[in-house]
Amino acid sequence: MNLPLLQSRVSLWNLTFLFFSCLSVLSCRPDDYPKRQFTSCETLATEIGYSTNKLTVSVNLNSLTGTLASIEWDFGDGTAKQTSLNSTQTHTYSKAGTYTITVTLTDKCTKTLVKTATVTVTDKERPVFTTVIASNVTSSSAITGVKFTNSGNPSVVQFGICYSYTNSTPTTDNATVKIFSSNSSLNADITQQLDNLQPNVTYYYRAFAVTTEGTYYAEGEVLIFKTKPDLTSGLVAYIPFNGNGFDATSNKNNAVLTDAVGRSIYDSGHDGTAGGSFRFNGSTYLKIEDSPSLRLRTLSVSFWFKPETLPSATNQYQHFLYKANYDQDYYQEYSTSMDWNSSTGVRFKADVKQNSNCQAGNWQSLVQPYTIKLDWQHVVVLYMSNKIVAYINGQKIGEYALSANTGIDSCIGGDLIIGAQSNRSSNFFRGLMDEIRIYNTILTEDQINALSQR
């Protein structure tokens, strides 16, 4: 073959191949090319929050953002690091101390964020206890105490009650302290009596406990109790009728029965106590012989009574107390009774003598119509220097102004008659009487209320 012709054909073939190759390349679409993928990550961010309970710490990653791949926890005590995707962790240390917690966050782009927090843990724990509510409160004492539910660490070395009527937030520094001698056993009321309290005042009180770490006070508010009024100060005669008529004071103002033959004279008291009252049968009375302690210019009387009958048109008078000579009805000083009036019915009465030269007559009287029931009722009469005031069941029922401010006449020879008036006008009381008290003071409203609730 002619060499020039052969070379011409080869060149033509090469040109043809090159043409079609270029045409093929130019005909490809952009999405037919292979692509490389790059990872996109949100920036890591968080803040560490934590709480402790004794030796245990609870850690939280707050406001956590980012494309998270892993979380590494290092609690700074030499224990193995922990890896987790959990944003909360709890760890208990083997001993008290201060530790640095390190949290390393890694995202999917292998970027890291390191956060740290310093925590202090302790095995110390305050004791947990409450104050026992006061009970058996009297005018001078009360029972209260402490109830532990956790004795704490270190343990309690001393505990008790601090109390005051002047400081509303009592502490062991500013109040009276009652230290208990018993052990601080759990879940039981540990009680003791507080003594030598002031009468009729409000006390603030709460329990305390002492450890080597300090002094702790009971959870909750400071509690209060109010002592009862003093019902013994000024008492010159007190006949409780505990199966007899003996005076419970040191004055020996004993009530002597005048006619007891063949009669059951004691019955249940106003509070149900067996033999706690004296039964007057309509022909008997008690007598307390005259003494200087009963000759009083001012006084208060208190007693319970339960009538079996009431004054009426045919039996108009019944006397509770009468200070005079029974046989002659002289040396009159004061009395308490009930009578009947055709206009008003049954009335309560309290009488005194002033400037009488200890002669009969000339009584000054508080007379008050009142519905007296055939049941137990409580009476207080205040014989003041210038007036008489009467109470029944703690409620004031009447008051009477006396003509002079001199008080009651003091007459030697006038016995205190209980349940009758005199030999001339017997006016016997029929029913039960209990808790007869004579005071040489004027009772307060609080004392009157307390007596009426006994």
Side-chain angles (χ1 to χ4, degrees):
M1 180 178 291
N2 191 338
L3 183 58
L5 178 60
L6 178 60
Q7 292 175 337
S8 174
R9 289 179 178 178
V10 172
S11 298
L12 180 61
W13 183 86
N14 289 336
L15 290 171
T16 301
F17 176 77
L18 181 60
F19 170 77
F20 282 105
S21 296
C22 291
L23 182 63
S24 175
V25 171
L26 293 172
S27 66
C28 291
R29 295 176 297 174
D31 55 2
D32 291 334
Y33 295 106
K35 299 178 180 178
R36 183 175 179 181
Q37 299 293 326
F38 294 94
T39 302
S40 175
C41 295
E42 183 182 357
T43 302
L44 291 171
T46 192
E47 294 296 333
I48 295 181
Y50 66 88
S51 62
T52 60
N53 181 12
K54 298 177 69 175
L55 294 177
T56 299
V57 62
S58 297
V59 186
N60 301 287
L61 298 181
N62 300 321
S63 305
L64 177 60
T65 60
T67 309
L68 192 62
S70 67
I71 306 173
E72 182 185 77
W73 302 84
D74 182 353
F75 288 94
D77 59 349
T79 58
K81 298 177 182 179
Q82 301 175 29
T83 301
S84 170
L85 280 175
N86 193 343
S87 63
T88 62
Q89 286 289 323
T90 299
H91 181 75
T92 300
Y93 293 94
S94 62
K95 61 181 180 179
T98 299
Y99 301 89
T100 299
I101 299 174
T102 303
V103 183
T104 304
L105 299 92
T106 304
D107 66 12
K108 293 182 178 180
C109 298
T110 69
K111 294 180 179 179
T112 60
L113 173 66
V114 178
K115 288 287 186 178
T116 62
T118 301
V119 299
T120 298
V121 294
T122 179
D123 56 357
K124 294 181 175 63
E125 184 178 17
R126 68 154 286 165
V128 180
F129 56 99
T130 56
T131 306
V132 176
I133 295 175
S135 61
N136 298 95
V137 179
T138 70
S139 62
S140 61
S141 65
I143 294 176
T144 181
V146 188
K147 183 176 183 178
F148 286 92
T149 55
N150 187 327
S151 57
N153 183 35
S155 59
V156 173
V157 296
Q158 188 181 82
F159 68 96
I161 295 290
C162 50
Y163 57 99
S164 173
Y165 61 89
T166 57
N167 291 303
S168 59
T169 307
T171 68
T172 55
D173 294 325
N174 67 13
T176 304
V177 173
K178 175 75 172 184
I179 297 174
F180 286 22
S181 58
S182 55
N183 296 325
S184 56
S185 55
L186 297 181
N187 301 313
D189 291 351
I190 308 167
T191 60
Q192 288 195 20
Q193 182 169 290
L194 310 181
D195 294 311
N196 300 316
L197 304 179
Q198 296 296 314
N200 202 33
V201 298
T202 297
Y203 276 88
Y204 304 90
Y205 69 106
R206 59 175 172 171
F208 71 91
V210 180
T211 74
T212 55
E213 292 296 305
T215 301
Y216 302 90
Y217 295 94
E219 296 180 333
E221 297 180 354
V222 174
L223 302 181
I224 63 173
F225 66 82
K226 185 175 182 179
T227 51
K228 294 183 178 180
D230 179 11
L231 301 181
T232 59
S233 180
L235 196 60
V236 296
Y238 173 33
I239 316 299
F241 291 120
N242 293 326
N244 55 61
F246 293 153
D247 179 13
T249 76
S250 60
N251 294 312
K252 298 182 180 181
N253 288 315
N254 299 320
V256 179
L257 179 63
T258 59
D259 182 10
V261 179
R263 294 181 175 85
S264 177
I265 56 177
Y266 294 104
D267 209 324
S268 296
H270 74 281
D271 57 357
T273 302
S277 69
F278 185 87
R279 177 177 293 279
F280 295 87
N281 64 6
S283 63
T284 59
Y285 67 92
L286 298 173
K287 181 177 74 172
I288 301 176
E289 291 187 359
D290 182 38
S291 73
S293 63
L294 297 177
R295 293 195 296 270
L296 302 168
R297 292 292 190 177
T298 62
L299 74 150
S300 302
V301 300
S302 166
F303 60 88
W304 290 86
F305 78 102
K306 181 181 179 181
E308 293 181 359
T309 62
L310 295 175
S312 63
T314 56
N315 183 16
Q316 294 186 356
Y317 301 95
Q318 292 191 41
H319 267 70
F320 302 116
L321 303 175
Y322 190 70
K323 184 69 168 64
N325 178 274
Y326 181 81
D327 293 327
Q328 299 177 346
D329 202 8
Y330 289 164
Y331 318 121
Q332 301 162 339
E333 296 178 54
Y334 52 87
S335 77
T336 304
S337 63
M338 56 180 174
D339 72 1
W340 179 86
N341 179 273
S342 60
S343 299
T344 60
V346 176
R347 305 183 301 181
F348 181 85
K349 292 186 65 179
D351 316 275
V352 298
K353 296 292 289 294
Q354 284 187 322
N355 304 318
S356 67
N357 198 27
C358 295
Q359 300 300 308
N362 299 318
W363 288 96
Q364 297 188 66
S365 304
L366 181 158
V367 181
Q368 181 63 49
Y370 189 80
T371 302
I372 295 176
K373 301 176 181 179
L374 299 178
D375 200 355
W376 282 111
Q377 290 139 103
H378 181 257
V379 170
V380 167
V381 179
L382 309 180
Y383 294 96
M384 304 183 187
S385 61
N386 61 347
K387 63 182 176 180
I388 306 170
V389 185
Y391 296 79
I392 293 183
N393 297 329
Q395 302 296 315
K396 180 179 176 180
I397 65 166
E399 180 176 321
Y400 177 80
L402 300 176
S403 60
N405 191 24
T406 57
I408 303 171
D409 289 347
S410 179
C411 301
I412 298 175
D415 301 322
L416 180 59
I417 309 302
I418 305 172
Q421 181 178 353
S422 69
N423 193 36
R424 294 181 179 182
S425 302
S426 57
N427 296 327
F428 290 112
F429 169 68
R430 189 179 187 90
L432 304 175
M433 290 186 70
D434 190 9
E435 296 271 342
I436 299 174
R437 298 168 183 257
I438 310 295
Y439 292 88
N440 63 11
T441 59
I442 300 302
L443 296 174
T444 66
E445 293 278 351
D446 285 337
Q447 290 174 310
I448 294 169
N449 287 333
L451 286 168
S452 69
Q453 295 169 15
R454 289 177 63 88

